[in-house]
Amino acid sequence: MEFGEYIRSLREKRNMLLREMAANLNMDVAYLSKIERGNRTARREQVEDLAKVLNKNKDELLNLWMADKIVNMIKDESNSTEILKKAEQEIKNLTKKKQ
């Protein structure tokens, strides 16, 4: 499930109106609607605010948000799987260097 769809489903499970959640986030209703539809990408701090308002684990939402950003970046590439494998290896190398 994409980030925006997930946010919408959480909001709807809480019977919260779009305008109500937008007010709790101090965000424009149209902007929040675009995030839910996948037409706009939330900023990191907005994801953290969403986690608070929706009473969800911040790391869970950040992981989904980041994965969604990566998918949108490479989805049209014919070699997306290889790109992900290369990125994973780079991250492993960086992690080893930090230790």
Side-chain angles (χ1 to χ4, degrees):
M1 178 180 291
E2 292 181 4
F3 179 78
E5 292 172 346
Y6 185 61
I7 295 301
R8 178 183 289 160
S9 72
L10 292 174
R11 176 180 59 77
E12 289 174 346
K13 283 179 187 173
R14 286 167 177 69
N15 295 317
M16 189 181 294
L17 298 174
L18 187 67
R19 68 177 180 265
E20 181 183 358
M21 189 157 99
N24 287 334
L25 294 164
N26 198 24
M27 183 185 294
D28 183 67
V29 175
Y31 185 75
L32 179 56
S33 177
K34 288 176 183 178
I35 290 171
E36 286 188 352
R37 291 191 322 264
N39 296 334
R40 292 293 299 261
T41 302
R43 294 186 318 270
R44 183 183 190 94
E45 55 273 6
Q46 290 170 324
V47 175
E48 293 173 4
D49 291 343
L50 282 162
K52 288 177 191 172
V53 169
L54 294 169
N55 197 27
K56 290 300 286 183
N57 181 286
K58 177 181 75 168
D59 292 332
E60 176 190 345
L61 284 188
L62 285 170
N63 288 345
L64 182 59
W65 170 75
M66 186 63 68
D68 206 41
K69 285 180 67 164
I70 292 167
V71 167
N72 284 325
M73 203 175 355
I74 66 171
K75 66 183 176 189
D76 296 325
E77 300 296 329
S78 60
N79 57 341
S80 57
T81 303
E82 292 86 34
I83 293 168
L84 286 174
K85 287 178 184 176
K86 177 66 177 163
E88 182 180 25
Q89 187 58 50
E90 292 288 331
I91 290 168
K92 286 179 182 177
N93 292 340
L94 289 171
T95 304
K96 288 179 184 176
K97 288 180 183 179
K98 287 183 181 179
Q99 296 174 353

